């Protein structure tokens, strides 16, 4: 039997061990050599003559290309998409493996990194279980108002590789475009699930007719761009090369998706509330801007943009909807949806007119 003193000492040690375990679990760790960082393009908004807010969104992960779980997931994917018209041979193509890879990485939680922007060091929030973290930092005296600027990760002793992100310093006044991606600027065929899967994983991405030229024209006129899509954020690395080749650079907001938490269930709900929230946030950050909202008729963009007009009627210069074949293009739909929106504000077209 233990004496009272020994029992008390044992309890104290157990309590100490428990506290140490909790502290270890809560503390962050630096990057390791086998871990990567991905930064999503962002924009800064001016809050005073000299001060800017910059929301930073980053993702820390490890590419476990030879792991057992990765091979199992690839096998399940191959079996699952066969019923959607993707052959076993297609599922093994390099393009499929490359795009699927981003859904199979090992997300790293509680990772702490610092970035260097304009010579100022900022510590970012530790990553969550999905490997992501969002941090708003403040910066004095931007060097490139209206332009893009790089920031870099401050190297730790555990990781000597270089990582960088980009931020655009958007002034208080100006013209901004908020654009959907799927079936607006990229052929996705959302209404046909078999073709949608092929366009996501199998086929090279293809720009919709006329939109690349139209967006470049708007960019020459001084417009800033914000892309908002209900696609999962794992597609952003695959989208980057396509976007860089065809469209003006801009911020990109994609939907949270993770197999291991509630975001999986939320992902299959209508994207209406998600898009309204994202667009509302953009307009609130740039309340003196005029906005062009561009989307398509395939799902809910007209309804989303009508709601945004209702919230910010003085900020909306134009609502432009690409007509998608097979969607509801009836006068009844648009008359009801845009009932309170002046006819001079909204339009539906097959492809943009470039003059």
């Amino acid at each position: 039997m233990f004496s009272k003193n020994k029992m008390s000492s044992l309890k104290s040690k157990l309590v100490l061990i428990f506290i140490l375990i909790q502290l270890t679990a809560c503390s962050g760790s630096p990057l390791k050599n086998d871990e990567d960082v991905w930064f999503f393009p962002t924009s800064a908004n001016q809050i005073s003559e000299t001060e800017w807010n910059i929301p930073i969104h980053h993702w820390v992960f490890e590419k476990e290309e030879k792991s057992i779980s990765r091979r199992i997931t690839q096998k399940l994917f191959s079996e699952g998409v066969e019923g959607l018209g993707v052959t076993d041979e297609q599922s093994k193509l390099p393009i499929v493996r490359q795009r699927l890879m981003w859904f199979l990485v090992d997300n790293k939680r509680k990772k702490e990194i610092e970035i260097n922007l304009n010579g100022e060091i900022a510590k970012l929030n530790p990553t969550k279980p999905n490997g992501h973290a969002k941090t708003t930092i403040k910066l004095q005296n931007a060097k490139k108002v209206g332009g893009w600027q790089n920031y870099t990760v401050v190297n730790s002793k555990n990781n000597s590789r270089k990582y960088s992100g980009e931020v655009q310093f958007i002034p208080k006044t100006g013209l901004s475009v908020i654009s959907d991606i799927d079936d607006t600027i990229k052929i996705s065929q959302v209404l046909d699930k078999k073709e949608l899967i092929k366009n996501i994983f199998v086929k090279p991405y293809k720009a919709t007719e006329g939109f690349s030229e139209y967006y470049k024209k708007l960019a020459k006129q001084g417009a800033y761009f914000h892309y908002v899509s209900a696609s999962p954020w794992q597609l952003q690395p695959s989208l980057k090369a396509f976007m860089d080749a065809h469209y003006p650079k801009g911020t990109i907001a994609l939907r949270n998706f993770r197999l291991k938490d509630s975001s999986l269930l939320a992902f299959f709900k209508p994207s209406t509330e998600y898009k309204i929230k994202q667009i509302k946030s953009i307009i609130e950050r740039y309340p003196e801007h005029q906005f062009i909202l561009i989307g398509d008729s395939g799902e809910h963009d007209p309804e989303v943009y009508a709601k945004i007009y209702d919230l910010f009627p003085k900020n909306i210069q134009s609502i432009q909807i690409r007509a998608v074949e097979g969607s509801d293009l009836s006068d009844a739909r648009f008359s009801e949806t845009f009932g309170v929106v002046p006819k001079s504000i909204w339009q539906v077209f097959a492809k943009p007119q470039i003059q």
Side-chain angles (χ1 to χ4, degrees):
M1 296 290 292
F2 289 109
S3 66
K4 288 185 178 181
N5 287 338
K6 288 184 177 180
M7 285 294 292
S8 177
S9 176
L10 180 60
K11 287 181 180 179
S12 297
K13 290 179 180 178
L14 290 173
V15 169
L16 180 59
I17 291 171
F18 176 78
I19 292 173
L20 289 172
I21 291 173
Q22 293 303 308
L23 288 173
T24 302
C26 293
S27 63
S29 61
L31 291 176
K32 296 179 181 179
N33 274 323
D34 56 356
E35 295 171 346
D36 290 290
V37 184
W38 185 275
F39 288 100
F40 294 82
T42 188
S43 64
N45 62 292
Q46 198 169 9
I47 55 178
S48 72
E49 288 299 320
T50 60
E51 193 171 33
W52 296 76
N53 266 345
I54 307 174
I56 304 290
H57 178 188
H58 73 284
W59 174 25
V60 179
F61 56 89
E62 179 184 350
K63 297 177 184 176
E64 294 190 315
E65 299 183 4
K66 297 181 180 180
S67 70
I68 295 175
S69 61
R70 179 182 174 86
R71 290 198 296 269
I72 291 174
T73 306
Q74 285 180 323
K75 186 175 186 300
L76 291 173
F77 170 81
S78 299
E79 294 173 352
V81 296
E82 282 183 16
L84 293 172
V86 178
T87 66
D88 181 60
E89 183 178 352
Q90 286 176 324
S91 71
K92 295 175 182 177
L93 292 172
I95 190 173
V96 176
R97 293 182 179 276
Q98 178 65 26
R99 292 179 183 175
L100 182 61
M101 174 191 73
W102 299 102
F103 291 84
L104 307 177
V105 298
D106 182 15
N107 299 309
K108 296 298 180 180
R109 68 175 71 196
K110 295 187 175 68
K111 288 294 173 177
E112 293 183 346
I113 62 176
E114 293 180 328
I115 61 170
N116 183 329
L117 176 58
N118 274 1
E120 296 187 24
I121 306 300
K123 185 176 181 178
L124 303 184
N125 290 328
T127 54
K128 296 181 178 181
N130 65 358
H132 288 242
K134 295 182 179 180
T135 311
T136 298
I137 65 175
K138 296 187 185 302
L139 180 74
Q140 300 290 333
N141 300 317
K143 293 181 179 178
K144 297 182 179 179
V145 177
W148 289 84
Q149 187 171 344
N150 287 348
Y151 55 87
T152 58
V153 172
V154 178
N155 288 335
S156 69
K157 62 182 180 181
N158 293 334
N159 194 316
S160 59
R161 288 182 288 174
K162 296 184 182 299
Y163 306 98
S164 64
E166 293 181 290
V167 55
Q168 185 176 31
F169 289 88
I170 298 179
K172 283 188 175 182
T173 60
L175 174 67
S176 291
V177 174
I178 296 178
S179 172
D180 178 48
I181 295 179
D182 292 303
D183 283 332
T184 299
I185 64 172
K186 179 177 76 69
I187 299 298
S188 298
Q189 296 177 275
V190 171
L191 298 179
D192 185 330
K193 298 309 177 187
K194 289 185 177 181
E195 288 303 312
L196 174 62
I197 292 296
K198 291 178 182 178
N199 284 316
I200 290 175
F201 291 108
V202 181
K203 297 180 179 180
Y205 293 147
K206 181 180 179 182
T208 48
E209 185 180 0
F211 274 81
S212 180
E213 296 81 3
Y214 179 46
Y215 279 37
K216 289 175 182 176
K217 175 187 173 183
L218 291 173
K220 286 182 179 180
Q221 294 173 354
Y224 303 97
F225 287 81
H226 303 273
Y227 301 96
V228 178
S229 171
S231 294
W233 47 255
Q234 288 94 336
L235 291 179
Q236 207 275 330
S238 301
L239 280 169
K240 186 179 185 306
F242 166 78
M243 297 294 292
D244 289 347
H246 296 284
Y247 292 102
K249 191 182 301 184
T251 67
I252 296 182
L254 300 176
R255 209 170 178 187
N256 187 33
F257 175 83
R258 186 169 180 254
L259 291 172
K260 298 180 180 180
D261 59 31
S262 59
S263 67
L264 175 62
L265 296 177
F267 188 81
F268 290 100
K269 295 179 181 179
S271 61
T272 306
E273 290 185 10
Y274 160 78
K275 281 196 168 182
I276 290 174
K277 180 181 178 181
Q278 295 295 328
I279 296 171
K280 184 171 177 285
S281 174
I282 294 169
I283 297 176
E284 287 175 344
R285 293 183 62 218
Y286 303 99
E288 297 180 48
H289 273 236
Q290 286 293 295
F291 288 86
I292 299 174
L293 309 181
I294 306 178
D296 63 84
S297 62
E299 292 193 298
H300 309 292
D301 286 344
E303 290 74 19
V304 168
Y305 293 165
K307 177 63 177 178
I308 293 298
Y309 180 86
D310 185 51
L311 294 173
F312 306 99
K314 295 181 179 180
N315 294 93
I316 307 306
Q317 182 184 107
S318 175
I319 297 174
Q320 302 175 16
I321 302 297
R322 175 180 178 260
V324 173
E325 185 178 351
S327 66
D328 182 359
L329 296 172
S330 65
D331 291 339
R333 177 191 183 185
F334 294 115
S335 295
E336 180 180 355
T337 299
F338 295 124
V340 298
V341 182
K343 187 64 180 73
S344 59
I345 295 290
W346 64 273
Q347 59 178 311
V348 181
F349 51 80
K351 67 177 183 178
Q353 298 297 315
I354 305 168
Q355 298 178 347

